[in-house]
Amino acid sequence: MRDWDDAYANSAHVPGSDELPARWAERAAAYRARLKSFKPDIAYGSEERQRLDLVLPDGDSKGLVVFVHGGYWMRFDKSSWTDLAEGARSHGWTVALPSYTLTPAVRISDITTEIAVAIASAAAQVSGPIRLAGHSAGGHLVTRMLCDDGLLEPEVYDRIVATLSISGLHDLRPLLKTVMNETLRMNMGEAALESAALHLPRGKSPLTTWVGGSERPEFIRQAELMANIWTGFDVPTHLVVDPGHNHFTVVDGLKDPSSAITRRLLGLV
């Protein structure tokens, strides 16, 4: 029988991964200290973690990029990832980074609703096209915004010109077999509801699934699955398996204005 805990155990397969959270936080804090224009902790709801940061470009804004962090819906917040905004910011985009309430305090379906509210809140403050990006659990959350259950109001959804799911989870049913589900508290009904791969797409908004070539095979399967299924509904999909990158290094290119992942996010390819 397959070991589903091991299938999703990214840290166990990356040497030195226990040191990474502190490094991410330090790197993000140093980046914030250098920013010329930064708006922190904008409330999009009444709860403690319903806050987002805005990283603004030097000149006029071309539009809005929203980056949603990962952590299996139960770890981290926006403050560890600010530096990932630099690739988009340097090209003239405003970048929103939301935090969200974590499990087990809420369910994954509640987090999905929170992210829809966060995107709408950021969209009300930044005009122009919207590009969504998310990593791991964040990849799940941004892909859910494209599904047929209409989480976003039409005036927000219609502005989305591209979505980038980086190492995203698109079929949550296998997670029911993991120890982490003691925290996530999903049942089969919620796992199916929250699986973008089991939804029809709401429209034809383009989707890229991006995954590291050195990631756990399950994450590569999840990326392939999502791109494959929605291609069948005439959604413009693109799958990228980025060679040499693991689950944690795969997002590093977002800091680089000239990287392939930044260029894909911004429609420069």
Side-chain angles (χ1 to χ4, degrees):
M1 182 177 293
R2 185 171 183 180
D3 185 344
W4 287 101
D5 288 303
D6 183 66
Y8 289 98
N10 294 301
S11 296
H13 294 271
V14 177
S17 60
D18 57 325
E19 302 173 1
L20 291 176
R23 194 180 309 165
W24 294 331
E26 292 170 5
R27 191 174 67 189
Y31 176 76
R32 286 194 295 275
R34 300 193 301 269
L35 282 173
K36 296 178 182 178
S37 188
F38 178 62
K39 296 182 178 180
D41 294 324
I42 299 168
Y44 67 86
S46 60
E47 298 301 320
E48 179 181 0
R49 292 179 60 94
Q50 293 175 343
R51 302 289 184 272
L52 61 86
D53 295 342
L54 285 181
V55 178
L56 283 74
D58 293 334
D60 293 338
S61 177
K62 293 180 179 177
L64 175 67
V65 170
V66 181
F67 176 80
V68 182
H69 72 82
Y72 279 129
W73 308 274
M74 53 183 163
R75 301 186 190 96
F76 305 124
D77 61 32
K78 58 185 173 56
S79 66
S80 293
W81 317 102
T82 323
D83 53 326
L84 298 184
E86 178 57 22
R89 187 210 67 83
S90 67
H91 281 283
W93 291 76
T94 300
V95 181
L97 300 102
S99 288
Y100 48 86
T101 310
L102 302 176
T103 60
V106 297
R107 308 189 72 86
I108 291 177
S109 53
D110 298 319
I111 298 172
T112 300
T113 300
E114 285 192 16
I115 291 302
V117 175
I119 292 169
S121 176
Q125 300 174 63
V126 182
S127 61
I130 298 172
R131 297 178 179 272
L132 304 179
H135 176 231
S136 197
H140 155 262
L141 291 165
V142 295
T143 308
R144 282 288 284 115
M145 300 301 111
L146 307 181
C147 294
D148 59 351
D149 49 350
L151 293 162
L152 294 171
E153 293 298 322
E155 59 268 24
V156 177
Y157 171 82
D158 290 344
R159 289 171 56 189
I160 299 173
V161 295
T163 298
L164 176 65
S165 176
I166 309 165
S167 309
L169 296 164
H170 308 114
D171 181 359
L172 274 52
R173 293 172 298 177
L175 295 173
L176 297 174
K177 306 173 186 177
T178 66
V179 171
M180 79 175 80
N181 197 47
E182 295 174 4
T183 300
L184 302 179
R185 298 182 298 129
M186 283 191 298
N187 55 34
M188 182 59 77
E190 184 180 27
L193 172 68
E194 287 301 318
S195 296
L198 302 183
H199 278 270
L200 293 173
R202 180 173 179 176
K204 301 293 189 288
S205 187
L207 171 67
T208 295
T209 59
W210 190 292
V211 65
S214 297
E215 295 207 44
R216 304 295 295 137
E218 177 63 6
F219 282 84
I220 297 175
R221 185 188 73 84
Q222 290 264 352
E224 293 172 340
L225 172 73
M226 190 68 219
N228 188 326
I229 288 180
W230 274 18
T231 295
F233 296 110
D234 298 321
V235 172
T237 64
H238 192 81
L239 168 68
V240 177
V241 180
D242 199 352
H245 283 291
N246 63 44
H247 190 72
F248 306 116
T249 63
V250 69
V251 292
D252 285 347
L254 292 175
K255 297 179 290 183
D256 181 357
S258 62
S259 71
I261 195 169
T262 295
R263 291 175 62 81
R264 171 62 59 178
L265 171 61
L266 301 182
L268 301 175
V269 293

